[in-house]
């Protein structure tokens, strides 16, 4: 029988592409983590991909993520929040994800800190950078990065900054995204130096360009379509 989505060969093809990209750039496969992006796909698909050995899953919407997690009896999965989080949703997110990829404002940092502080728990986070400087996109502008880092260090002790994340302005365009990945790495290197922080993680690269992200130092790639198949058309790419 043919499996149209989330089949094992699809998944293994992604692992193979990752391995090839690592080899090409002289990196170890263990240094790049695959986050399977399951937004708009049902819990049953997550369960199937988990049965292939996948542990890290990414979701864009808080409510959808929580619903899916409740449907599944898979406590060992590691859930990542990779979508924009409004400050008013901070209480639902704080401490609930292994990694928040999309810290993007002082306001959100403060809202998260408030919940984390009241529960006395920590939250690891990446700062999302608006790497193409696009007006309508979320993420902090590169020139505002130091200010946000400074704020988190001074006022949000329960937030642990681990690195940076980006979504380049070109989509599914392979090598065309590479300069944006390189730029994110440079920004991380600058912060590392200026704030004396390790910032080990770079979350960058999706189905259409993750090999180029790995070549530029990605430690986390976020792959949806090439694992799960196309998303339902109406809701594709956050257009809901
Ligand atoms: C949807 C999404 C992905 C996965 O995109 P694909 O092209 O389907 O691999 C990765 N990162 C973010 C932030 C997303 O919203």
């Amino acid at each position: 029988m043919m499996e149209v989505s989330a089949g094992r060969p699809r998944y293994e093809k992604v692992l193979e592409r990752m391995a090839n990209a690592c080899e090409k750039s002289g990196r170890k496969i263990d240094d790049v983590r695959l986050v399977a992006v399951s937004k708009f796909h049902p819990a049953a698909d997550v369960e199937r991909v988990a049965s292939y050995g996948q542990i890290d899953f990414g979701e864009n919407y808080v409510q959808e993520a929580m619903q899916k997690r409740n449907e599944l009896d898979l406590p060992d999965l590691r859930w990542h929040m990779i979508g924009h989080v409004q400050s008013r949703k901070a209480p639902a997110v704080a401490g609930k994800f292994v990694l928040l990829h999309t810290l993007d404002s002082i306001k959100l940092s403060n809202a998260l800190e408030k919940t984390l502080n009241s529960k006395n728990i920590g939250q690891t986070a990446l700062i999302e950078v608006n790497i193409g400087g696009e007006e309508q996109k979320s993420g902090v502008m590169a020139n505002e990065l130091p200010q946000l880092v400074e704020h988190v260090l001074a006022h949000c002790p329960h937030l642990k900054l681990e690195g940076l994340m980006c979504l380049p302005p070109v989509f599914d365009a392979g090598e065309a995204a590479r300069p944006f990945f390189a730029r994110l790495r440079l920004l991380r290197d600058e912060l590392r130096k200026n704030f004396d922080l390790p910032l080990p993680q770079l979350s960058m690269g999706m189905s259409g360009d993750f090999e180029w992200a790995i070549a530029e130092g990605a430690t986390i790639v976020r792959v949806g379509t090439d694992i799960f198949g196309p998303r339902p058309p109406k809701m594709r790419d956050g257009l809901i």
Side-chain angles (χ1 to χ4, degrees), residues 37 39 60 82 165 167 171-172 206-208 222-226 231:
V37 177
K39 62 167 177 259
N60 290 59
I82 65 168
M165 176 272 208
L167 267 159
F171 177 73
D172 258 348
M206 318 189 345
S207 292
R222 310 175 310 265
V223 180
T225 309
D226 284 359
R231 289 180 278 279

Side-chain angles (χ1 to χ4, degrees), residues 51-69:
S51 79
Y52 308 149
Q54 178 63 24
I55 293 168
D56 290 85
F57 289 86
E59 285 283 341
N60 290 59
Y61 303 95
V62 185
Q63 201 184 337
E64 184 188 348
M66 292 312 176
Q67 223 169 312
K68 231 173 268 186
R69 289 165 67 168

Side-chain angles (χ1 to χ4, degrees), residues 3 5-14 48 51-53 227:
E3 252 174 353
S5 67
R8 189 190 283 271
R10 269 196 105 92
Y11 177 67
E12 286 181 347
K13 178 82 191 152
V14 169
R48 187 146 23 122
S51 79
Y52 308 149
I227 292 175

Side-chain angles (χ1 to χ4, degrees), residues 183-200:
R183 181 153 160 67
L184 193 73
R185 179 164 48 86
L186 283 177
L187 289 170
R188 188 276 307 270
D189 293 348
E190 267 172 42
L191 293 175
R192 225 181 212 175
K193 195 169 55 157
N194 295 341
F195 290 93
D196 197 21
L197 289 170
L199 300 176

